Amino acid sequence: MNKDNELQDLPEVGEGKPNSDYGADNIQALEGLEAVRKRPGMYIGSTDTKGLHHLVWEVVDNSIDEHLAGHCTHIDVVIHPNNSISVSDNGRGIPTGMHHKLQKSALEVVMTVLHAGGKFDKNTYKVSGGLHGVGVSCVNALSSHLTVEVERDGKKFIQEYSKGKPLYDVKMVGDSDRHGTKVTFQPDGEIFETLIYEDDILARRLRELSFLNKGLHLKLTDERNGKIEEFHSEGGLLEFVKYLDSTKQSLIENPIYVSTRKDDIEVEVAMQYNTTYQENIYSYVNNINTREGGTHVKGFRMAVSRVFKQYGDDEGMFKKFKEEISGEDFREGLTSIVSVKVPEPQFKGQTKGELGNSEVTSVVSQCVGDVLKAFLEENPREAKKIMEKVILAATARHAARKAREMVQRKNVLTGSGLPGKLADCSSKDPAASEIFLVEGDSAGGTAKQGRDRHIQAILPLRGKILNVEKAMEHKIYENEEIKNMFTALGVSIEENENGDRILNIAKLRYHKVVIMTDADVDGSHITTLILTFFFRYMKPLIEQSYIYVATPPLYLVKKGKQERYCWDEEQRRSTVEEFGGSNENSVKVQRYKGLGEMNAEQLWETTMDPERRILRQVAIEDAMEADRVFSMLMGDEVPPRRQFIEENAKYANVDA
Ligand code: 0RA
């Protein structure tokens, strides 16, 4: 929906008084709340745990807007024991005066009318321009109970609601010398599938917000377990990039940092080179994560390529290097965060995760370019390190291209090009086809016997696959297991006109790629290695939800002819109970550790049969955290890895 069009069609209530204090009359009243309860998904995305957490962000966004307008320094979020949430801030407080046209308190209008919000002067950046921003009234509509408390103009006001309907008129309950807003809500069990809040989801976003809004104090209190976390950053993105790279080895001592503003656009950028081979760019517009990048990211990349290329040429550093250097080479091992604040952001793309404002490109490119130029001139030793890495990246990219081309040429020579180890399915329809990546030749053999050969292909992988986190790219294409995965899946890495690598999945041969390993420590290590490979080299397959992990059972409980598979301790206990209790000698529990302990029929029944199996879909819940965790688990830095493994019995933060 285009915000501008939307506003033109709607009645404007009250007279605007630009650059003066906004009072009750300047709140725009738009539509009713019934629509929200009828179609919650339209407003908050979903009614699962994601939507539940979205409620908190709606309220926090409003407090952040107060911060961006320069009126709020502290935001507190509390998870109460009954999973209700309080968000309080020390902003101006929602206006409480009479809204003349609607003949009720402005506070009631803000809380009960969809899209009613403050009109802010043009120089402030409302978060509400983006993906969020349906307003607190939505949260109210979807809460079985909500209380709002406002302190302003020397008084304290309160109003309560049930499912968005006021229980009484706004009342003044006493004097106050403070200002701010507190919203306490209980999400409605009739709307949401789950009502349980997860403190680490809330903590992660609040941490991110603290980095994105330097100086702002955010606090999370979980009254269910007494845990309190405070987030506050004076360094902003400079600290953010250090945090993101804390599991990696830095190439240069301090991150490069840009913080300026030009023509109404605020630009903040932090970048740090590390010794890995990956590029990581995280970008934001008005605190909203732009997953698909956009004009700000384009401007950033332009600046990096332009300035570094110029510097390398001027210093004669590329003389010995004969082939061309691509934009990607300048960004290998670079972690960067690009955050802009734009008065009227336009979001594009499938998920509205891409900034469209074209004026932003040149602003970012110029601001970042100026700082980079100065950095290189003032830090010749660091500059040299970076340039050496760039040349190494270009060399590696050319070697990788040769290795890739070699593999592809071989495929052409050998006809179909499919790996000899692949037991393909007969269906040629990718949407109906599945491939199982199976640990070990023997389990591969069992899977081959047990499968539905019409739609299920089997590719056995030998033992430990290459740890791609530590290997140079060209080594990847020399690895038999990895080559087999590329050719079996039908995907290839190609280069676009800028020399940047892209994954071509147009000829993907299966829409389900299932990793099937033993249910033990080694098995889960192999799963992590394979997932790391997908994360680094075939990320689009994860993003488009093609990757799954099979879950073989852990136990078989038997009594005479009765047999039942169990996937966890609880199932095992209740099954033993049902079969006559653990005192009963004839009840036998068999612990499955490996796929090889099952015969073909058992493997089919428990793990492969589409009607009965449990597949866990791999999603990158939070690419940022996934990257940190992968580098930590698979990379060289030992201390954080040990700490992580000690804290998390299970494997990486890639959620299934
Ligand atoms: C409308 C107008 C003004 C502030 C707010 C809403 C406001 C909303 C929320 C929601 C949570 N915390 C909030 N703080 C403020 C401007 C008020 C003025 O000009 O005095």
Side-chain angles (χ1 to χ4, degrees), residues 22 62-63 66 89 92-95 118 152 181:
Y22 285 111
N62 284 283
S63 301
E66 277 297 281
D89 65 54
R92 287 168 291 186
I94 303 175
R152 62 179 283 156
T181 304

Side-chain angles (χ1 to χ4, degrees), residues 277-446:
Y277 310 117
Q278 278 86 42
E279 173 193 8
N280 278 311
I281 296 191
Y282 303 105
S283 64
Y284 298 86
V285 174
N286 299 1
N287 292 324
I288 301 162
N289 188 204
T290 34
R291 275 168 209 281
E292 297 162 68
T295 51
H296 52 331
V297 172
K298 186 174 164 204
F300 168 76
R301 288 189 162 140
M302 276 167 50
V304 172
S305 296
R306 185 181 71 240
V307 174
F308 281 49
K309 174 107 179 44
Q310 187 69 49
Y311 182 83
D313 283 340
D314 289 353
E315 299 290 314
M317 287 168 160
F318 300 148
K319 261 197 288 202
K320 272 181 271 159
F321 191 75
K322 288 284 164 288
E323 311 200 57
E324 93 292 353
I325 294 176
S326 89
E328 255 190 347
D329 299 331
F330 293 109
R331 303 190 305 267
E332 189 174 286
L334 178 64
T335 300
S336 23
I337 309 165
V338 178
S339 169
V340 294
K341 304 231 166 87
V342 180
E344 282 171 67
Q346 302 294 323
F347 293 95
K348 303 194 307 184
Q350 280 186 337
T351 54
K352 295 270 172 232
E354 182 187 346
L355 182 65
N357 303 48
S358 58
E359 71 277 12
V360 177
T361 303
S362 65
V363 170
V364 175
S365 174
Q366 225 177 78
C367 295
V368 174
D370 290 348
V371 171
L372 280 183
K373 227 189 232 156
F375 173 86
L376 293 174
E377 273 155 25
E378 288 159 22
N379 301 277
R381 282 189 49 230
E382 309 268 66
K384 189 150 174 274
K385 277 192 209 165
I386 296 173
M387 289 302 156
E388 280 165 2
K389 186 168 168 70
V390 169
I391 292 171
L392 197 67
T395 312
R397 188 169 52 81
H398 287 283
R401 177 198 279 161
K402 278 205 192 105
R404 256 192 341 255
E405 282 171 356
M406 207 106 109
V407 175
Q408 274 158 9
R409 210 169 309 133
K410 261 207 206 111
N411 283 341
V412 176
L413 292 177
T414 56
S416 81
L418 292 176
K421 282 177 147 206
L422 174 74
D424 206 4
C425 56
S426 56
S427 167
K428 293 285 167 260
D429 173 13
S433 306
E434 311 179 340
I435 183 169
F436 284 76
L437 308 175
V438 188
E439 166 191 0
D441 287 331
S442 96
T446 316

